[in-house]
Amino acid sequence: MLEQMDLTMVNWARAQFALTAMYHWLFVPLTLGLSFLLAFYETLYVKTGNEEWKRITKFWMGLFAINFAIGVATGIILEFEFGTNWSNYSWMVGDIFGAPLAIEGIFAFFLEATFFAVMFFGWDRVSKKFHLFSTWMVAVGSNLSALWILVANGWMQHPVGMRFNPDAARFEMQDIGAVIFSPVAVSKFAHATSSGFLLASLFVITISSWYLLKGRHQEMAKKSILVAAVFGLFSSAFVGFTGDEAAYTNAQLQPMKLAAFEGLYDGAAPAGLVAMGVMNHSKQPGDGQDPFLFEVKVPGLLSLLANRTPGSFVPGINDLIYGNESHGVMGVQEKMARGKIAVAQLANYKAAKKAGDPVGAQAALTAFNANQDYLGFGYLNRPEEAAPPVPLVFYSFHIMVAVGTLLPLICLLFLYFTYKDTIDRQKWLLGLGLTSVFLAHLAEQAGWVVAEVGRQPWAIQNLLPVTVARSNLTTATVQTTFFMFLVLFTTLLIAEIGIMVKQINHGPEEN
Amino acid sequence: MPRLQKIIALYRDGFRHMVLGRTLWKIVIIKLIIMFGVLKLFFFPDFLQTNFANDQERADHVLDSITKPYLEQPRPTPATGAFVAGSSHF
């Protein structure tokens, strides 16, 4: 398999971006979810006056601080990479991304400088209600801060509310409302944040399970589990709902990605959902081979999930690449032809402007505008390049769904036995609880592979492939920084785990 | 004024009495120094900012790099009906 890997600059740059984003995403969902759990624990303290809830809040706040401190600013490295490795892309989307990222930066600064300080330093110095308000503001603010980067990501998957300015070579924002409320951005934000809530709930369950197995801090562990399990259950219902919405949105706007989720090569009506399967790795689009060595399929379910209509047609990878006239699916070959016209007319426009030929420039612009929706296809060499690496997307999707289905069951069992007050006797469940945060991280990371590898070859859906989005750098340059990041992030991760383990060992008394 | 003093005292005493926070602040500061003082400075120059003097040059470079290398490919045919006569620059 290694000899088949294409180790060009663009793939190293992609690997570096994936490495950075995936490390960053180890810390972010925990911050998003734990901030709300802190707010819940403190609300219980303020409502009941029970000092145990305050002790619980302070203990989890310490772990929140560790995760926040290690994770903060790791996302900025993504912006470094934009400017260096992805300069064409960075220039072209600067007008779209500038506003959301600036809002995020300003928001985060004011939030951290004010409410974070009150939350950590303000115990017994401000009123209980103001302290609680600050904790809630940290929770709401952290999650809203995540909104903007997810809006930017959503725009890459479904570019709306903009026009391309051929003079500036930029996509320019026309309608910020369309960008923020794009169905992809909305479902992405809802799915990413709710999965963060679930992960944080399982983080609390994992550490509390460890305390219960060790027979330490049992009262705190049980109380923590009770709140976390309820939050985890509600969150997982929301994760399921928003996941369904995301799949529906994909079916409508990124059908190739949905087909890759399911390893669906030949479209069908009705289309079945592959519950599990082993893919045939030698399968290529259009070669007539069976895509699966083994599969278990639920008949008709994919039609329902993709289109909300039983028995409806779901296009497969072959339909999307080679076209399917009877179902009105345009093939990539035709899109490539239109895309090449767009690329050519863009060059014509520039040449005419330079030559002082306004008539020629206007003619070229008219032709470009008529074909600009297919611009990205003009950079492809073969229609088959429009498909993502199917096995990776298929397995990631199925791991995410399988693990994601197990997690609410863990929450439910913990809730039941904690409610019955027999949780400390369920050693098997506590053992499972110990693994649950790692399972949640696995599902989170698989989710990002699904979202980001599934949209390949596009940096901006249908408009800009990653091969054109990149800068003109040598492979060695990107390789060097890749390994530097690998070392930096691994060190940070070791530091986080080390400090956290120490803090957990100390327990709430040492906080 | 007393309110301002209270706010200052909140930050001052908060920082002064940190235990775990001291370690975390050290990590944050070291991380930021590595990121901005080493990585950004020596390994992650902004490609367009570094190599071009103004936005017009940057736009021209990007436009060239997303068109020129791709014009060697077979000439598009007017199959879509959107092809406009007069596109005779290549």
Side-chain angles (χ1 to χ4, degrees):
Chain A
M1 187 169 166
L2 268 177
E3 65 274 13
Q4 292 175 348
M5 285 173 72
D6 179 13
L7 300 176
T8 53
M9 177 269 162
V10 72
N11 282 341
W12 275 103
R14 285 177 59 203
Q16 187 181 86
F17 202 86
L19 174 82
T20 318
M22 289 172 90
Y23 264 105
H24 184 54
W25 199 248
L26 287 174
F27 308 112
V28 175
L30 189 54
T31 299
L32 300 184
L34 209 48
S35 62
F36 270 112
L37 278 164
L38 297 179
F40 295 145
Y41 292 134
E42 192 176 343
T43 302
L44 286 166
Y45 162 59
V46 173
K47 284 270 178 204
T48 63
N50 182 343
E51 287 291 319
E52 180 66 12
W53 286 116
K54 182 180 179 183
R55 193 165 150 265
I56 289 171
T57 310
K58 287 179 101 172
F59 171 69
W60 294 111
M61 207 173 266
L63 300 188
F64 172 84
I66 296 168
N67 182 66
F68 186 84
I70 305 285
V72 73
T74 49
I76 290 175
I77 292 175
L78 295 169
E79 291 185 35
F80 295 175
E81 290 172 29
F82 281 143
T84 305
N85 298 346
W86 304 100
S87 59
N88 284 350
Y89 163 84
S90 185
W91 175 263
M92 292 172 83
V93 302
D95 191 68
I96 306 282
F97 280 25
L101 294 182
I103 294 170
E104 186 192 347
I106 294 165
F107 211 86
F109 174 78
F110 283 108
L111 180 83
E112 281 149 31
T114 52
F115 295 112
F116 261 66
V118 177
M119 190 171 91
F120 284 107
F121 300 156
W123 291 106
D124 307 321
R125 298 192 69 131
V126 297
S127 71
K128 275 186 184 177
K129 283 189 176 168
F130 185 66
H131 193 277
L132 178 63
F133 173 73
S134 300
T135 308
W136 273 101
M137 284 307 294
V138 168
V140 173
S142 303
N143 280 271
L144 279 183
S145 180
L147 169 72
W148 302 107
I149 190 69
L150 291 168
V151 162
N153 184 279
W155 184 85
M156 289 161 64
Q157 318 255 353
H158 178 47
V160 287
M162 56 79 187
R163 65 177 276 275
F164 184 75
N165 177 347
D167 294 308
R170 283 192 134 158
F171 295 102
E172 291 178 343
M173 181 102 75
Q174 296 293 296
D175 180 357
I176 192 167
V179 174
I180 293 173
F181 297 108
S182 127
V184 177
V186 170
S187 70
K188 193 165 273 293
F189 174 68
H191 196 55
T193 48
S194 53
S195 66
F197 301 163
L198 179 57
L199 181 134
S201 302
L202 292 160
F203 173 78
V204 170
I205 285 176
T206 295
I207 292 164
S208 302
S209 296
W210 185 77
Y211 280 139
L212 290 175
L213 281 169
K214 291 277 173 191
R216 293 174 59 192
H217 314 300
Q218 300 205 32
E219 203 49 41
M220 183 195 84
K222 286 179 195 170
K223 278 186 153 68
S224 297
I225 287 174
L226 198 62
V227 176
V230 171
F231 187 45
L233 263 181
F234 275 109
S235 302
S236 47
F238 205 60
V239 170
F241 171 73
T242 54
D244 172 64
E245 187 62 29
Y248 174 73
T249 311
N250 281 325
Q252 309 309 310
L253 302 171
Q254 295 174 294
M256 183 68 86
K257 190 195 261 190
L258 184 92
F261 287 177
E262 282 297 304
L264 180 70
Y265 276 84
D266 295 312
L273 186 87
V274 178
M276 64 171 85
V278 176
M279 292 210 78
N280 172 4
H281 285 252
S282 62
K283 168 74 184 168
Q284 295 296 322
D287 68 0
Q289 286 191 64
D290 192 331
F292 289 97
L293 301 175
F294 154 79
E295 63 184 315
V296 177
K297 211 174 213 179
V298 184
L301 191 56
L302 186 61
S303 293
L304 191 62
L305 290 174
N307 301 319
R308 310 250 160 99
T309 309
S312 58
F313 178 74
V314 180
I317 293 164
N318 288 334
D319 302 291
L320 294 162
I321 291 178
Y322 304 113
N324 184 330
E325 212 169 308
S326 60
H327 287 283
V329 180
M330 188 196 291
V332 174
Q333 194 74 54
E334 188 174 345
K335 291 179 182 177
M336 282 172 64
R338 295 186 184 196
K340 287 183 192 308
I341 293 172
V343 175
Q345 295 300 340
L346 198 55
N348 282 355
Y349 173 78
K350 195 189 168 198
K353 288 279 277 191
K354 200 174 174 184
D357 172 13
V359 177
Q362 187 53 48
L365 188 58
T366 306
F368 170 76
N369 287 338
N371 295 284
Q372 66 169 318
D373 289 350
Y374 304 96
L375 176 67
F377 290 95
Y379 302 110
L380 302 183
N381 295 310
R382 298 180 303 116
E384 291 79 8
E385 288 176 8
V390 180
L392 179 58
V393 177
F394 172 84
Y395 288 122
S396 301
F397 178 72
H398 283 77
I399 287 170
M400 176 186 75
V401 173
V403 176
T405 309
L406 176 67
L407 299 178
L409 294 176
I410 295 177
C411 291
L412 188 64
L413 288 169
F414 268 89
L415 181 61
Y416 175 78
F417 286 112
T418 308
Y419 183 73
K420 290 276 175 193
D421 202 18
T422 59
I423 186 69
D424 43 352
R425 297 203 294 274
Q426 315 300 325
K427 303 294 180 199
W428 64 274
L429 183 58
L430 295 174
L432 181 62
L434 278 182
T435 65
S436 63
V437 73
F438 303 104
L439 291 172
H441 271 303
L442 176 67
E444 289 275 357
Q445 298 292 338
W448 273 107
V449 173
V450 168
E452 301 307 307
V453 178
R455 74 177 156 86
Q456 295 302 318
W458 306 114
I460 306 170
Q461 183 75 32
N462 297 350
L463 297 178
L464 189 72
V466 288
T467 46
V468 184
R470 70 185 180 96
S471 307
N472 235 340
L473 298 174
T474 64
T475 304
T477 311
V478 188
Q479 275 176 327
T480 308
T481 47
F482 174 90
F483 288 110
M484 286 171 66
F485 281 149
L486 188 63
V487 171
L488 175 69
F489 282 126
T490 307
T491 309
L492 285 174
L493 194 61
I494 292 168
E496 159 140 0
I497 293 168
I499 299 169
M500 233 178 223
V501 167
K502 196 175 162 193
Q503 196 67 13
I504 293 164
N505 255 323
H506 282 170
E509 282 82 358
E510 299 299 321
N511 241 347
Chain B
M1 200 61 187
R3 177 165 287 186
L4 182 65
Q5 281 170 345
K6 272 187 182 173
I7 293 170
I8 292 168
L10 175 84
Y11 282 86
R12 187 193 58 216
D13 296 345
F15 281 112
R16 198 174 279 168
H17 296 118
M18 282 188 310
V19 182
L20 171 66
R22 272 181 213 281
T23 312
L24 297 179
W25 270 107
K26 278 179 202 161
I27 291 174
V28 170
I29 290 165
I30 292 169
K31 183 171 63 176
L32 291 177
I33 290 170
I34 293 172
M35 279 169 53
F36 287 96
V38 181
L39 293 174
K40 177 68 182 159
L41 206 58
F42 299 108
F43 296 96
F44 282 90
D46 188 308
F47 182 80
L48 295 176
Q49 288 291 337
T50 312
N51 293 298
F52 300 95
N54 55 50
D55 279 357
Q56 191 53 56
E57 284 185 15
R58 289 176 197 119
D60 287 344
H61 166 78
V62 172
L63 211 49
D64 280 349
S65 66
I66 66 170
T67 53
K68 275 188 180 165
Y70 305 96
L71 299 179
E72 301 303 317
Q73 294 179 16
R75 176 107 190 254
T77 57
T80 61
F83 191 82
V84 174
S87 54
S88 56
H89 293 284
F90 44 86

